[in-house]
Amino acid sequence: MIPFFLRTYRAATTSIRRTSSKTFSTTTRKRTSRIMTPTIKLSSGYEMPQVGFGLWKVENAEAADIVYNAIKVGYRLFDGACDYGNEKECGEGVARAIKDGLVKREELFITSKLWPVFEDGDKVEPAIRRSLADWGLEYFDLYLIHFPGALKYVDPAVRYPPGWHYDGKSEVVRSNTPMHVTWAAMESVVDKGLARSIGVSNFQAQLIYDMLRYARIPPAALQIEHHPLLVQQELLNLCKAEGIAVTAYSSFGPASFVGFEGFAHAKNLVPLMEDPVIVELGKKYNKQPSQVLLRWATQRGLAVIPKTKRTAVMSQNLDCTGFDLEQADVDKITAKDTGVRFNQPSNYFPTDKFWIFG
């Protein structure tokens, strides 16, 4: 059974996927070998690749080459954000790939995100225009509100990316802007052609339900921390019922967070890719543990955005939709859910003013 939202284009691409991984171009485009991946149909009408490449913690000095190499491997979705501080370099990688004939802009799906200090209604458009300029693009395929809860505006001339703190050190200052004002501004960037689809990230059920009451353009996507230790099944149920596509980040659980201070719980847990259940399933299906973890998500209809600088692992991660787990094995992985969340502000810095997951 095809998962909710998932279109595999079986009628159109079965022969390609079974007989060859090569794609052929016209005129100057070079013939390249890449893995064909399914897409998810967004409520906006656009197709989003189900497997993409995440750009969080990609170093500036390496970002252009990593994005370029990922495009060569076959990635078409790139998930960025103002806060990552590498949008200019990522855009350079895209520009080089287009110049070299590896891909056309319309074949890519680029995501960026609005940081909380830009959630005041009159700051949304300048923020997306800054990100577009850094990427060297005319539009984003998807633009997300990165976190709920507007913070006091920080002028990019003072500090960019601005981070969480108003003073750049320790002061968290909330803005009085309500979400309906921010969302109306998000809708306006669609009207102006700056984003094709809009959505949210790190939102919980109550706020999404509230948004759906007033949204002229409903959120097309939700991006959340999602791994076997944090399944958030009720939130997934909401999105399925309301036609909101879900992208999972941090699919490997604690692996993304062990290098940060304040994440003792991440350091004390057995890495998911070393978990006995995941390792045994990898042997059973002749796949890497990372592929098992990604397939657990994609088989249930979610998009994923893993990252790596190693091209061989890029290919492994991208090739996570070409096999199926038995339902009993899917259930076995899901049963590991303990509700452990890593990516929340209070894990990065002391605060008594920003409990967005409370």
Side-chain angles (χ1 to χ4, degrees), residues 162-209:
W164 293 101
H165 301 112
Y166 180 70
D167 60 358
K169 299 177 182 179
S170 62
E171 186 181 14
V172 176
V173 182
R174 294 196 301 266
S175 166
N176 291 326
T177 299
M179 184 51 62
H180 72 84
V181 172
T182 304
W183 192 250
M186 292 284 287
E187 292 170 328
S188 74
V189 304
V190 176
D191 296 337
K192 295 176 181 178
L194 303 177
R196 289 184 165 180
S197 303
I198 51 177
V200 294
S201 178
N202 299 302
F203 278 46
Q204 297 294 285
Q206 297 91 334
L207 186 52
I208 294 174
Y209 276 132

Side-chain angles (χ1 to χ4, degrees), residues 267-287:
K267 299 174 185 178
N268 293 334
L269 288 167
V270 175
L272 283 174
M273 283 189 279
E274 297 176 16
D275 181 279
V277 171
I278 305 302
V279 171
E280 284 304 311
L281 290 176
K283 294 177 181 177
K284 176 179 178 177
Y285 294 98
N286 195 28
K287 299 294 180 181

Side-chain angles (χ1 to χ4, degrees), residues 53-54 58 66 70 75 306-315 317:
F53 195 95
V58 173
I66 287 174
Y75 286 88
K307 76 169 185 296
T308 178
K309 65 175 66 176
R310 295 170 290 171
T311 54
V313 179
M314 287 182 187
S315 296
N317 289 344

Side-chain angles (χ1 to χ4, degrees), residues 42 55 73 80 85 96 105 120 138 178 199 249 259 275 279 297 303 332 340:
L42 301 179
L55 298 169
V73 167
R96 194 198 321 164
R105 168 62 184 99
D120 292 348
E138 295 182 354
Y249 69 76
D275 181 279
V279 171
K332 190 181 299 184
V340 176

Side-chain angles (χ1 to χ4, degrees), residues 50-54 77 79 223 247-249 251 294 303-307:
Q50 193 183 19
V51 183
F53 195 95
L77 185 161
D79 182 83
Q223 189 174 124
T247 297
Y249 69 76
S251 295
L294 294 171
V304 292
I305 47 172
K307 76 169 185 296

